[in-house]
Amino acid sequence: MECVQRRKQIFPWFGLDIGGTLVKLVYFEPKDITAEEEEEEVENLKSIRKYLTSNVAYGSTGIRDVHLELRDLTLCGRKGNLHFIRFPTHDMPAFIQMGSEKHFSSLHTTLCATGGGAYKFEQDFRTMGDLELCKLDELDCLIKGVLYIDSVGFNGHSECYYFENPTDAERCQKLPFNLENPYPLLLVNIGSGVSILAVYSKDNYKRVTGTSLGGGTFFGLCCLLTGCSTFEEALEMASHGDSTKVDKLVRDIYGGDYERFGLPGWAVASSFGNMMSKEKRESVSKEDLARATLITITNNIGSIARMCALNENINRVVFVGNFLRINTISMRLLAYALDYWSKGQLKALFLEHEGYFGAVGALLGLLDSA
Amino acid sequence: IPPDSLPGVSLPSLGGSLTKLAYYSTVQHKVARVRSFDHSGKDIDNEPLYEISVQEEITARLHFIKFENTYIETCLDFIKDHLVNTETKVIKATGGGAYKFKDLIEKKLGLKVDKEDVMTCLIKGCNFVLRNIPHEVFAYQKDSDTEFRFQTNHPNIFPYLLVNIGSGVSIVKVESEDKFEWIGGSSIGGGTFWGLGALLTKTKKFDELLQLASKGQHTNVDMLVKDVYGGAYQTLGLSGNLIASSFGKSTTADKEFSKEDMAKSLLHMISNDIGQLACLHAKLHNLDKIYFGGFFIRGHPVTMRTITYSINFFSKGEVQALFLRHEGYLGAIGAFLKGAEQDNPNQYSWGENYAGSSGLMSTSPDVSPLQRTRSGTFDMLEMDRLERPLVNLPLLKDPSTYIPDTVDLTDDAMARKYWLTCFEEALDGVAKRAAASQPDSVDAQERAEKFRQKYWNKLQTLRQQPFAYGTLTVRSLLDTREHCLNEFSFPDPYSKVKQKENGIALKCFQSVIESLDSLDWEERQFALVKGLLAGNVFDWGAKAVSDVLESEPQFGFEEAKSKLQGKGRSLLEGPPHKCALIFADNSGIDIILGVFPFVRELLSRGTEVILACNSGPALNDVTYSESLIVTERIAAMDPVIHSALRDEKLLLVQTGSSSPCLDLRYVGKAPLCGLCASAAGWSEVWLWSVAVLWPCSGHAVAALTALCCSRLDQGLAVLVRERQTDLVVIEGMGRAIHTNYYAVLRCESLKLAVIKNSWLADRLGGKIFSVIFKYEVPCK
């Protein structure tokens, strides 16, 4: 990325994406600080850098995804590492409080933020943290972030990948995908809810549709059905469950394939359909329920994405968002469902930095504004 | 059940609890017939004009019954008792229950169960009701005055999208009778609502879950846009109330959520999802009609409402969510049609029999829970076969937007109240008249009372649920009364009155003609129109008139003329028309002294005339068979009529209707006989023949010649093209005011009637016995 007025933007460089469930924070840690700069650097800037880079967890809920860190990145002429941090949105007040305690406002930096929370917490930043947020458009940031991260690559590896043989556990493998000529592409962002964008060029995109059945729905239903309290716990349960005990499959109704309509027997005819029966409700485990919830939400997203791709006449679908974090089951299922129902016409693609693109876009927005 | 009966059963798939049975029967009906006496060489002055006889006729009827599974054995006993046909070896069954109850059925009935594909049956049934039942389709609007907005039948029902929401969702694109395609589906359907709902709320029954949902607040469970954006969503042009993430607020183990709130959230989630997918499919296939069915929808205002909302939202109003009155029967109808394929019921037109059908029960749980329960348990639909296929009048300017009825009583509460009361008040008189029309029958009194009770009950139902049979109109009220009369073997209560009046009027014919002929041209034109209108005063269907007629039997043509308010005017200025089509109204003075002199004038001007009369009796309206006799007698007196008949310049046709009102619209596919089809090619053949909308059952039908394409019809199809009908005259309150008042035709038209109802006169801004004379020239 070219940045003409490069030294104008003073450190620290942050990008913030405040979603419905999670806050995503990217932090650029400059590694090329000259002695002269070091001299000038104020104390609390140092301490912020030290705090963020020397820890992998912040408080009880903040986490740095170390495995995603982008090293030796050149951004606006500066060399450094890009760090990826997340914490739940409900801890936002504590985060602002911390900023206030560390006298963040005295740094006279701009804090660029996107996501709905940029609006929701704007006032809190102002009153509690004495900070003026620079609010950036969510979708602009998302696309900018995706294009940027893909262009710089993942520490020498490909950012974009796909699954070959997604249903065959033995033969399924993750393979790099070259997204050099990305357009047109359908970008499906699965956060708490889902947004679907058709991207025709860097600046030409539209929001096609969205659905409220997203990551929040999976997690919310799992909490209600299983009593779990974290997304990781829900996914862990799902990985041990059997959804076919919960769902009614085509073969449960027709004894096999429904040939009249070309429906395979293994296809789900009714999600949670078996749960209409009292006996079956009593015989399923929490793990089965978690799995069924995951399969239901994932299949539905796949189905809507497929219909949008057909309507927009686009054959590459990129799935991003934190719902996919550590969620191989969903990724493989999306890959498979898109391939199967489109008879190989559609390809599901994934990106390593799943949920962080909005925050990256916000950081880039900060640098652009300099 | 007669020998050719072939029951079709639709057994619900798991989760469903209703069985629907379809069967075909023939029904014996009494039919009034008229036959001309041989008058040669006799003194005809003291003889009745013609002979009236009542005969038995057999007509075809389709029955559809819906009942709870618990009654399946009773149902099978019923079938067994009625199954007189030893030829029947197979019963067609569809639905998941076809597997479940197969053994029971085979054992009980000794018939082989032939399982039919669910979707094929569903679509066959859907095509059938769309084609044959008026006001089958409705849009649902919770917050408007009329919950159910019935749609006018479009001449072309294809293509459409059928979204069946059972335990899962099937989206089927239907392009023609035999061509349909599964284009998608979703596993998130009724089963998800039920199964997941049962897990979340520990509530076992589907209906109870819906009840819970209707009481809940989804905003306690769902994450809304405003929850994510805080209060600032207004600046973004987003509605803060949109759901950002379903169940997005329940992502915690520490909080309790109410059953109601969770059920509501689940309902929204599922309805929105289905609506979104349906819209995406509709967009991809460029379709704007989506019919929804399946147990998730069936009679549940809560789900109809959420689905409608979702479709509006996702299609931005471009697609309409539509529902079907008889959605629950589609599978059974389809299974039946599959079984009856060799008889091809699709070659006929069918009409809903109001007397035998329960109608759409109030779906609102608050309004009448009692009736709702009843309708869930037992509900029926009867359809009568019309021997003539129904097509629309080719002269209609735009058949797809034509709405026959002038006032929609479902919409207009004031008018509804008035007319329902009006029909209630007239009921005793009608029952009396019916009993009196059969003085030789021992049980006439008893049957008349049964009729009275049945129609009374229908009227009460309609007071509660005006939408029960589709859009409520004066026409449907009149037709329901005819259906009920028929049901109790009163095929033609006015036959004797008509006979007498025709006789009297015929005696005056010559003097009326003489006096007309003595006038100069201008005076004569005026007198002719005045005569037409005066004749139309004689209407036993109008209470104001029947009161006069009952009390002053001597009331005559001249008195009627003097009662008329206002003036008529002549339309017979300018060059003569090529061919006029006249829809006649009443027997007696109306047809003989009003219409015939007018016909005669037209004929003398060189205009050919097609005189269309009802096929079956309705009130004192002249029937086709009566018109044949009357015309024959007039021809014997009048050389103009005589030669016109001989030269085929005057043609008598039947409308196909047995209603005092008139629907000019296409209601059924014209099942063409080979001759017609080859003559014209399907797409452009709108065979000439006037459609009846509420095809009256039994007698009406039976009076017709049972030919798919009678010579008359075929001749007329050619005739309309060749002779280029350029004037249509529609006479009478029923045909020109209650219906067709706003009908737009492609040629000149004259709608005339005398307002014989003071309330209606008030509404139209006139007085009782005011004249409606609506002469319209189509804009070029």
Side-chain angles (χ1 to χ4, degrees):
Chain A
M1 170 154 290
E2 205 52 45
C3 191
V4 185
Q5 304 161 295
R6 52 187 202 177
R7 285 186 183 268
K8 287 270 170 76
Q9 189 60 52
I10 54 166
F11 291 120
W13 292 355
F14 282 112
L16 197 56
D17 176 5
I18 312 168
T21 312
L22 281 178
V23 180
K24 283 77 65 177
L25 178 72
V26 294
Y27 168 64
F28 182 78
E29 173 205 2
K31 290 295 230 183
D32 57 355
I33 297 175
T34 58
E36 187 186 336
E37 277 177 320
E38 182 118 23
E39 195 80 352
E40 285 172 18
E41 201 173 36
V42 290
E43 204 46 46
N44 51 355
L45 180 58
K46 275 200 186 87
S47 87
I48 286 170
R49 188 169 73 230
K50 189 149 187 296
Y51 174 69
L52 290 176
T53 55
S54 61
N55 289 306
V56 293
Y58 315 94
S60 59
T61 54
I63 285 166
R64 181 154 64 89
D65 283 313
V66 185
H67 67 287
L68 293 180
E69 183 178 329
L70 293 176
R71 289 178 300 274
D72 300 327
L73 205 61
T74 306
L75 195 54
C76 268
R78 301 301 302 253
K79 271 199 175 342
N81 298 341
L82 199 55
H83 298 277
F84 298 87
I85 297 163
R86 61 186 152 88
F87 60 88
T89 305
H90 60 74
D91 286 333
M92 203 59 208
F95 175 79
I96 299 170
Q97 188 62 41
M98 188 179 75
S100 163
E101 281 159 13
K102 292 191 182 289
H103 302 290
F104 199 88
S105 61
S106 66
L107 298 171
H108 303 293
T109 183
T110 314
L111 191 52
C112 280
T114 186
Y119 294 85
K120 185 176 178 178
F121 296 103
E122 185 181 20
Q123 191 61 24
D124 291 346
F125 271 101
R126 194 174 291 142
T127 53
M128 289 167 63
D130 192 24
L131 269 170
E132 206 53 48
L133 281 189
C134 169
K135 300 191 297 293
L136 296 171
D137 180 82
E138 201 170 337
L139 304 179
D140 283 345
C141 287
L142 176 66
I143 290 168
K144 217 183 235 180
V146 165
L147 296 175
Y148 174 73
I149 297 290
D150 182 68
S151 71
V152 299
F154 184 21
N155 300 325
H157 302 286
S158 173
E159 169 72 15
C160 185
Y161 60 96
Y162 71 101
F163 287 95
E164 203 174 58
N165 310 315
T167 48
D168 188 337
E170 302 291 304
R171 294 167 58 224
C172 175
Q173 51 175 332
K174 185 174 153 181
L175 291 176
F177 186 86
N178 186 347
L179 202 60
E180 232 172 314
N181 301 306
Y183 312 113
L185 70 82
L186 199 73
L187 186 59
V188 181
N189 185 30
I190 318 172
S192 316
V194 181
S195 278
I196 300 180
L197 316 176
V199 188
Y200 301 100
S201 75
K202 194 160 73 70
D203 314 302
N204 180 15
Y205 72 87
K206 65 174 181 187
R207 184 176 188 277
V208 180
T209 188
T211 166
S212 69
L213 284 84
T217 315
F218 161 66
F219 183 28
L221 280 174
C222 272
C223 290
L224 294 172
L225 293 171
T226 70
C228 70
S229 53
T230 67
F231 181 71
E232 289 77 5
E233 208 183 323
L235 277 182
E236 178 61 22
M237 274 202 246
S239 69
H240 295 113
D242 178 3
S243 61
T244 64
K245 290 186 180 157
V246 179
D247 295 339
K248 193 185 287 293
L249 307 186
V250 168
R251 65 164 178 257
D252 296 333
I253 300 174
Y254 297 101
D257 297 350
Y258 185 24
E259 279 156 20
R260 180 71 183 79
F261 285 165
L263 290 175
W266 52 259
V268 184
S270 172
S271 296
F272 288 85
N274 282 341
M275 298 297 92
M276 290 187 279
S277 128
K278 189 167 175 284
E279 300 77 55
K280 288 187 176 160
R281 277 202 295 278
E282 283 160 0
S283 71
V284 293
S285 67
K286 288 181 172 183
E287 286 76 12
D288 297 337
L289 292 172
R291 177 73 163 222
T293 311
L294 187 64
I295 300 298
T296 302
I297 300 298
T298 306
N299 269 331
N300 190 60
I301 294 168
S303 165
I304 291 173
R306 184 175 66 89
M307 288 309 297
C308 291
L310 287 175
N311 270 318
E312 300 301 322
N313 204 14
I314 295 175
N315 56 27
R316 272 182 301 191
V317 185
V318 179
F319 292 94
V320 296
N322 266 321
F323 173 66
L324 299 176
R325 194 173 62 80
I326 58 166
N327 187 358
T328 323
I329 299 172
S330 289
M331 287 194 281
R332 285 193 190 181
L333 185 54
L334 286 170
Y336 181 79
L338 239 58
D339 182 75
Y340 180 87
W341 295 110
S342 74
K343 301 189 172 72
Q345 294 301 297
L346 299 177
K347 199 170 198 70
L349 303 173
F350 304 93
L351 299 173
E352 298 283 1
H353 287 83
E354 287 132 4
Y356 283 109
F357 299 105
V360 171
L363 172 69
L364 297 172
L366 169 79
L367 302 178
D368 279 351
S369 70
Chain B
I1 304 182
D4 51 352
S5 72
L6 268 168
V9 193
S10 162
L11 299 152
S13 50
L14 279 137
S17 59
L18 298 173
T19 294
K20 296 89 175 192
L21 170 74
Y23 65 94
Y24 171 87
S25 76
T26 48
V27 193
Q28 283 214 331
H29 265 288
K30 287 203 176 1
V31 196
R33 291 251 192 223
V34 292
R35 205 181 62 189
S36 199
F37 287 121
D38 178 12
H39 288 300
S40 49
K42 285 188 187 162
D43 169 23
I44 59 170
D45 280 359
N46 301 315
E47 286 281 321
L49 184 59
Y50 47 79
E51 180 188 25
I52 302 167
S53 62
V54 172
Q55 296 173 2
E56 295 284 340
E57 274 281 349
I58 291 177
T59 57
R61 180 174 286 178
L62 283 176
H63 306 253
F64 304 101
I65 305 178
K66 182 161 86 183
F67 52 88
E68 284 186 353
N69 285 356
T70 29
Y71 301 109
I72 180 117
E73 299 225 16
T74 323
C75 160
L76 293 175
D77 288 337
F78 172 85
I79 298 178
K80 198 174 178 209
D81 291 348
H82 288 75
L83 207 65
V84 293
N85 177 17
T86 48
E87 303 278 300
T88 304
K89 295 275 192 296
V90 171
I91 183 163
K92 297 278 180 187
T94 184
Y99 297 87
K100 195 169 159 189
F101 296 113
K102 184 170 183 280
D103 293 343
L104 180 69
I105 298 169
E106 293 193 337
K107 196 173 118 232
K108 272 245 177 199
L109 299 181
L111 296 176
K112 192 175 154 285
V113 172
D114 207 353
K115 291 192 292 286
E116 287 293 337
D117 174 65
V118 185
M119 269 299 154
T120 311
C121 291
L122 206 61
I123 285 151
K124 263 195 176 304
C126 190
N127 291 340
F128 185 82
V129 296
L130 286 177
R131 231 183 294 102
N132 288 290
I133 306 189
H135 297 151
E136 175 62 27
V137 178
F138 63 91
Y140 185 79
Q141 296 165 301
K142 175 64 186 165
D143 298 316
S144 83
D145 293 343
T146 42
E147 235 178 308
F148 301 88
R149 188 151 289 278
F150 292 97
Q151 312 287 303
T152 42
N153 289 31
H154 197 278
N156 188 8
I157 61 171
F158 303 111
Y160 65 85
L161 212 56
L162 179 67
V163 178
N164 193 58
I165 315 175
S167 46
V169 181
S170 283
I171 303 177
V172 183
K173 178 186 175 186
V174 186
E175 285 177 282
S176 70
E177 186 57 46
D178 302 307
K179 195 176 172 206
F180 64 90
E181 185 192 357
W182 185 88
I183 56 168
S186 169
S187 66
I188 300 184
T192 315
F193 179 70
W194 194 343
L196 196 45
L199 288 168
L200 291 171
T201 68
K202 314 277 178 261
T203 303
K204 289 169 200 141
K205 286 190 178 163
F206 180 73
D207 281 358
E208 285 169 14
L209 276 166
L210 279 179
Q211 284 282 337
L212 279 182
S214 60
K215 285 181 271 177
Q217 275 295 335
H218 75 104
T219 53
N220 294 332
V221 184
D222 290 341
M223 183 188 286
L224 308 188
V225 165
K226 66 180 170 198
D227 295 322
V228 182
Y229 278 81
Y233 54 87
Q234 294 94 338
T235 55
L236 299 167
L238 283 173
S239 162
N241 290 322
L242 284 183
I243 304 171
S245 175
S246 295
F247 288 89
K249 278 183 189 160
S250 69
T251 52
T252 163
D254 331 319
K255 219 178 134 193
E256 287 286 309
F257 296 90
S258 84
K259 290 178 177 185
E260 289 82 0
D261 294 351
M262 288 189 290
K264 177 72 164 227
S265 174
L266 188 61
L267 175 67
H268 276 303
M269 174 180 110
I270 290 168
S271 303
N272 286 339
D273 192 54
I274 295 169
Q276 178 172 27
L277 277 168
C279 285
L280 285 166
H281 282 284
K283 188 179 170 200
L284 190 63
H285 292 267
N286 204 15
L287 299 170
D288 58 2
K289 274 182 293 193
I290 309 183
Y291 301 116
F292 285 90
F295 81 77
F296 184 68
I297 292 294
R298 196 158 304 151
H300 298 298
V302 187
T303 53
M304 287 195 272
R305 184 187 186 180
T306 51
I307 286 286
T308 301
Y309 172 84
S310 171
I311 291 291
N312 279 337
F313 177 78
F314 285 106
S315 76
K316 299 182 176 73
E318 281 171 23
V319 176
Q320 202 172 20
L322 298 169
F323 306 94
L324 303 170
R325 272 202 292 148
H326 299 104
E327 190 277 319
Y329 290 110
L330 302 186
I333 295 175
F336 169 80
L337 293 174
K338 279 294 268 187
E341 246 158 19
Q342 64 269 43
D343 296 337
N344 194 8
N346 273 330
Q347 74 175 295
Y348 301 102
S349 290
W350 299 80
E352 180 175 9
N353 185 318
Y354 293 146
S357 304
S358 343
L360 187 67
M361 278 300 161
S362 174
T363 51
S364 165
D366 312 323
V367 171
S368 54
L370 210 121
Q371 278 167 312
R372 195 172 139 65
T373 318
R374 200 186 72 210
S375 79
T377 313
F378 188 84
D379 186 72
M380 58 201 280
L381 162 69
E382 284 185 6
M383 295 182 74
D384 288 325
R385 188 170 84 192
L386 310 167
E387 301 295 329
R388 303 171 85 81
L390 302 173
V391 292
N392 52 352
L393 179 67
L395 296 169
L396 272 181
K397 190 160 184 222
D398 182 3
S400 63
T401 58
Y402 167 74
I403 296 169
D405 303 287
T406 306
V407 182
D408 178 347
L409 300 181
T410 340
D411 235 0
D412 187 335
M414 267 243 299
R416 177 170 72 238
K417 217 173 138 199
Y418 170 78
W419 284 110
L420 284 170
T421 309
C422 199
F423 277 87
E424 277 171 12
E425 284 171 355
L427 183 53
D428 284 344
V430 175
K432 226 175 178 175
R433 160 82 40 200
S437 72
Q438 296 176 4
D440 307 330
S441 163
V442 282
D443 63 345
Q445 286 292 346
E446 193 187 323
R447 281 185 288 116
E449 174 52 26
K450 279 184 184 160
F451 150 75
R452 199 192 64 78
Q453 199 54 51
K454 178 140 197 170
Y455 190 57
W456 178 265
N457 290 341
K458 291 271 170 195
L459 290 172
Q460 299 323 304
T461 305
L462 289 166
R463 265 195 200 278
Q464 292 293 317
Q465 291 138 223
F467 47 78
Y469 296 92
T471 301
L472 183 67
T473 60
V474 174
R475 176 167 58 112
S476 70
L477 284 169
L478 283 164
D479 292 349
T480 307
R481 189 165 73 187
E482 294 296 323
H483 290 183
C484 289
L485 277 168
N486 239 0
E487 203 61 24
F488 295 102
S489 297
F490 293 111
D492 192 358
Y494 289 86
S495 56
K496 292 220 166 60
V497 176
K498 289 188 286 181
Q499 180 195 41
K500 191 174 143 218
E501 287 178 354
N502 283 334
I504 294 169
L506 274 174
K507 285 176 187 153
C508 307
F509 180 76
Q510 267 170 319
S511 65
V512 167
I513 292 295
E514 275 159 26
S515 96
L516 281 169
D517 283 348
S518 70
L519 300 172
D520 65 34
W521 189 86
E522 203 161 316
E523 281 175 331
R524 191 168 72 245
Q525 304 310 311
F526 184 73
L528 279 168
V529 170
K530 203 165 176 186
L532 259 181
L533 293 164
N536 197 244
V537 171
F538 294 86
D539 182 356
W540 284 86
K543 197 168 176 299
V545 178
S546 58
D547 289 349
V548 174
L549 292 177
E550 295 273 8
S551 59
E552 293 176 56
Q554 300 311 311
F555 187 79
F557 192 48
E558 292 308 316
E559 285 90 336
K561 274 202 230 176
S562 68
K563 273 221 173 199
L564 284 181
Q565 304 278 329
K567 286 184 174 180
R569 46 167 267 236
S570 170
L571 79 154
L572 299 183
E573 287 162 10
H577 297 89
K578 287 198 181 80
C579 177
L581 166 62
I582 301 175
F583 292 100
D585 187 12
N586 304 309
S587 272
I589 292 176
D590 192 355
I591 177 94
I592 295 166
L593 303 182
V595 175
F596 260 99
F598 182 70
V599 168
R600 190 174 169 273
E601 183 74 15
L602 284 168
L603 290 166
S604 349
R605 283 164 55 85
T607 303
E608 291 164 357
V609 176
I610 301 167
L611 185 62
C613 300
N614 264 8
S615 299
L619 297 167
N620 67 327
D621 291 3
V622 61
T623 64
Y624 169 66
S625 36
E626 287 158 0
S627 78
L628 289 177
I629 296 171
V630 164
T631 310
E632 183 193 317
R633 299 298 303 278
I634 291 176
M637 296 184 269
D638 188 286
V640 179
I641 302 293
H642 181 84
S643 58
L645 270 181
R646 188 196 56 212
D647 303 340
E648 293 182 4
K649 302 274 184 204
L650 170 61
L651 292 132
L652 302 179
V653 296
Q654 50 186 321
T655 60
S657 168
S658 308
S659 166
C661 296
L662 180 64
D663 183 354
L664 303 171
R665 175 177 48 183
Y666 176 105
V667 285
K669 160 184 142 191
L672 299 171
C673 73
L675 278 169
C676 291
S678 61
W682 166 231
S683 62
E684 40 184 285
V685 181
W686 280 348
L687 262 192
W688 204 93
S689 165
V690 175
V692 56
L693 185 50
W694 305 118
C696 299
S697 56
H699 73 277
V701 172
L704 306 178
T705 327
L707 284 174
C708 156
C709 263
S710 70
R711 255 179 54 219
L712 185 71
D713 265 350
Q714 199 179 20
L716 249 134
V718 178
L719 206 70
V720 147
R721 277 194 295 270
E722 279 183 3
R723 305 202 183 181
Q724 298 158 357
T725 300
D726 51 358
L727 173 68
V728 174
V729 180
I730 305 176
E731 193 207 4
M733 280 231 293
R735 289 173 189 79
I737 296 175
H738 294 320
T739 53
N740 297 312
Y741 191 66
Y742 299 115
V744 184
L745 298 173
R746 283 189 297 178
C747 63
E748 282 175 54
S749 66
L750 171 63
K751 296 159 192 169
L752 74 163
V754 179
I755 311 282
K756 288 151 286 194
N757 172 294
S758 59
W759 182 87
L760 190 63
D762 264 3
R763 262 227 168 174
L764 296 169
K767 289 178 179 164
I768 190 160
F769 298 120
S770 287
V771 163
I772 290 288
F773 188 96
K774 206 175 177 205
Y775 174 58
E776 289 157 308
V777 182
C779 29
K780 295 294 168 203

